[in-house]
Amino acid sequence: MNEYIKKYVADKAKTCKVGIFGTGKGTPAAETFLQEIGVDEYAYVDNDESRQGSIFHGKQVIGPAALDREWFVLVSNQYFRDIRAQLEKIGLREAEDFIWAFDLAYYDGLFRYPDAPRVPDISVDDMDEIEGQLKKCAVVEQVAWFEEADFTKFEQELDFSREYGKGINRRYRRKMMEYYSVCKILGFDHWNAEDVYLDIAAAGSPFAMYLREKRGINAYALDLVQGAYKEKDYYLQEDATHMHFADHSVSAMSLQSAFEMFAGEADINFVRETARVLRPGGKVVILPLYMAKMFLSTVSPNYYHEGYADEGAYECIRTDCGGAVPLGRFYSVEKLKERVLDAAQKNGLSAKILSLSNEIVEVDRFVYLKFILILEKPEKRND
């Protein structure tokens, strides 16, 4: 198991000094890994100046200022995103010069499949072409409600800077844009006590808690797994394709960077379940709606060729999410119609796609918020 990353690190240890970044509860993972590959000579690295110069587990503790390209580092700290930014700032490169000891399978996949295709770049011009094709099969509207000052005020009020790494997470703004968009579309200011909101695939998101505590919204978060807020009774471990909520009982739902991970037929089944639980006039907001010129199944390298890709999709490796993504689906226009738009129509839902102007779209190779899909259950007619 993990034989490729083991060989890589063992080879690096022959020419580099080895360090374990962290002297806390996570160190046994890195220590065990080094023991398994026969590396006995290493130092510990710690940001805590009071620990630097001391001996920990029989090894010297140094500060990060001592690191350079002659070192190979295993990060054994849960705050990997922060430490990665720190190491990159001094010139070290992930995978080549350092790894996270808690995600060995990811790196093993990288070295196991070095020639596997990567996710193709998707440009703004590509998005414009896709938008033209979408207009042939769906209602497409331009977003007119975005205002920078309004967004800044919302982001400050939301105050998710710690949870989403403001200042070190290059996608922080995009993530805040997702929540901003949901609030603008669903208009929570006009909700009443009977309205119910569901945040789907959101075990690790504080959004439902924010809506309850700051906005007085009857909000729930659903996910297949438990997460950071599992002590809250409104964070539910539940399959969004088979929810416990009664027919016509939910006012709205949203999925932020989640729908693309609904593997197999789960995206189609979710549309059907949405039609069951939504009240007349209820909406589900899906964003980003990931689109590409071809049907893509993007996967973390440890899931490559493991059977998670959609049939007929172009399977390719992504390197932006560690080893956490068995599937990240990018629809082609044809597949969006076949899998989602047709399913919505069949189940009595209308569909609308919102398009953000290119001036406010953040281009980051392939991960950015351009399209938003809204499915709506029609109001009852009084004939």
Side-chain angles (χ1 to χ4, degrees):
M1 185 177 178
N2 294 331
E3 63 266 28
Y4 287 85
I5 186 60
K6 287 180 177 179
K7 182 179 185 306
Y8 181 78
V9 177
D11 288 343
K12 291 288 286 189
K14 295 174 183 177
T15 58
C16 294
K17 292 173 283 189
V18 176
I20 294 178
F21 203 123
T23 56
K25 295 180 180 179
T27 55
E31 292 168 342
T32 299
F33 178 77
L34 292 179
Q35 290 169 8
E36 289 176 352
I37 60 175
V39 175
D40 298 317
E41 295 297 323
Y42 54 89
Y44 291 93
V45 185
D46 204 295
N47 282 316
D48 186 345
E49 292 183 2
S50 67
R51 290 178 176 262
Q52 295 169 13
S54 66
I55 300 298
F56 179 77
H57 290 187
K59 308 290 184 181
Q60 183 183 10
V61 180
I62 63 173
L67 300 176
D68 56 27
R69 293 297 307 283
E70 294 184 0
W71 284 82
F72 186 85
V73 179
L74 288 83
V75 179
S76 62
N77 189 298
Q78 62 177 320
Y79 302 107
F80 177 65
R81 186 165 55 190
D82 298 20
I83 293 173
R84 176 175 58 194
Q86 182 180 0
L87 294 176
E88 289 175 344
K89 190 171 289 187
I90 62 177
L92 274 64
R93 294 169 287 192
E94 186 179 1
E96 187 170 340
D97 303 311
F98 67 90
I99 62 174
W100 192 27
F102 299 151
D103 203 3
L104 295 175
Y106 164 74
Y107 302 103
D108 190 70
L110 278 181
F111 292 110
R112 183 183 298 268
Y113 300 110
D115 300 321
R118 299 304 200 255
V119 182
D121 289 356
I122 302 175
S123 68
V124 172
D125 288 342
D126 292 334
M127 289 287 106
D128 289 341
E129 180 179 338
I130 290 168
E131 182 170 337
Q133 296 171 359
L134 285 171
K135 290 178 179 178
K136 298 176 182 178
C137 62
V139 175
V140 180
E141 296 180 0
Q142 299 299 310
V143 166
W145 36 253
F146 179 82
E147 296 179 3
E148 186 65 37
D150 186 47
F151 167 70
T152 299
K153 180 180 177 181
F154 172 84
E155 182 265 327
Q156 292 172 348
E157 176 191 314
L158 199 62
D159 192 23
F160 286 177
S161 57
R162 179 177 59 84
E163 289 84 354
Y164 290 101
K166 185 176 183 179
I168 59 173
N169 181 0
R170 66 183 182 275
R171 298 190 181 122
Y172 171 82
R173 177 184 169 89
R174 180 182 66 85
K175 193 64 186 177
M176 297 307 102
M177 278 286 293
E178 293 175 11
Y179 293 124
Y180 175 72
S181 300
V182 168
C183 289
K184 297 296 286 189
I185 293 166
L186 296 182
F188 289 120
D189 290 340
H190 305 291
W191 281 40
N192 57 47
E194 289 73 40
D195 286 314
V196 175
Y197 163 78
L198 307 182
D199 192 3
I200 303 297
S205 169
F207 190 51
M209 183 171 62
Y210 159 81
L211 290 175
R212 279 196 175 241
E213 296 181 357
K214 300 292 182 66
R215 305 287 290 271
I217 301 298
N218 190 16
Y220 295 86
L222 277 65
D223 209 316
L224 291 172
V225 299
Q226 292 183 325
Y229 307 96
K230 61 183 178 181
E231 74 281 357
K232 306 287 186 182
D233 60 6
Y234 51 90
Y235 276 76
L236 309 176
Q237 187 174 3
E238 187 166 314
D239 186 344
T241 67
H242 296 88
M243 292 182 271
H244 84 275
F245 292 90
D247 295 358
H248 321 303
S249 64
V250 175
S251 304
M253 294 176 265
S254 70
L255 300 87
Q256 294 83 231
S257 296
F259 188 62
E260 68 277 4
M261 298 186 185
F262 278 39
E265 300 295 301
D267 56 340
I268 300 169
N269 294 336
F270 174 73
V271 172
R272 182 178 64 243
E273 183 71 346
T274 291
R276 181 186 70 80
V277 302
L278 278 181
R279 294 176 178 176
K283 297 177 181 177
V284 57
V285 181
I286 297 171
L287 75 168
L289 174 62
Y290 284 108
M291 301 293 301
K293 296 176 73 171
M294 61 175 140
F295 188 35
L296 302 178
S297 285
T298 73
V299 300
S300 293
N302 44 306
Y303 289 107
Y304 187 64
H305 284 349
E306 293 294 325
Y308 292 92
D310 290 307
E311 183 177 354
Y314 179 70
E315 185 177 9
C316 47
I317 282 178
R318 61 190 301 167
T319 58
D320 63 311
C321 297
V325 182
L327 171 70
R329 180 185 291 117
F330 284 63
Y331 294 99
S332 63
V333 174
E334 178 186 7
K335 285 298 181 180
L336 178 70
K337 182 179 184 306
E338 175 187 318
R339 297 180 69 97
V340 180
L341 301 182
D342 288 352
Q345 183 178 35
K346 180 179 178 181
N347 287 279
L349 301 175
S350 65
K352 177 172 64 177
I353 296 172
L354 302 183
S355 175
L356 280 75
S357 68
N358 291 337
E359 290 73 24
I360 59 176
V361 168
E362 290 200 354
V363 179
D364 184 10
R365 288 198 59 205
F366 64 89
V367 180
Y368 51 90
L369 177 59
K370 171 64 177 177
F371 298 119
I372 301 171
L373 175 63
I374 301 175
L375 304 178
E376 185 169 1
K377 193 171 192 175
E379 297 276 5
K380 289 183 178 178
R381 296 176 56 183
N382 296 317
D383 295 328

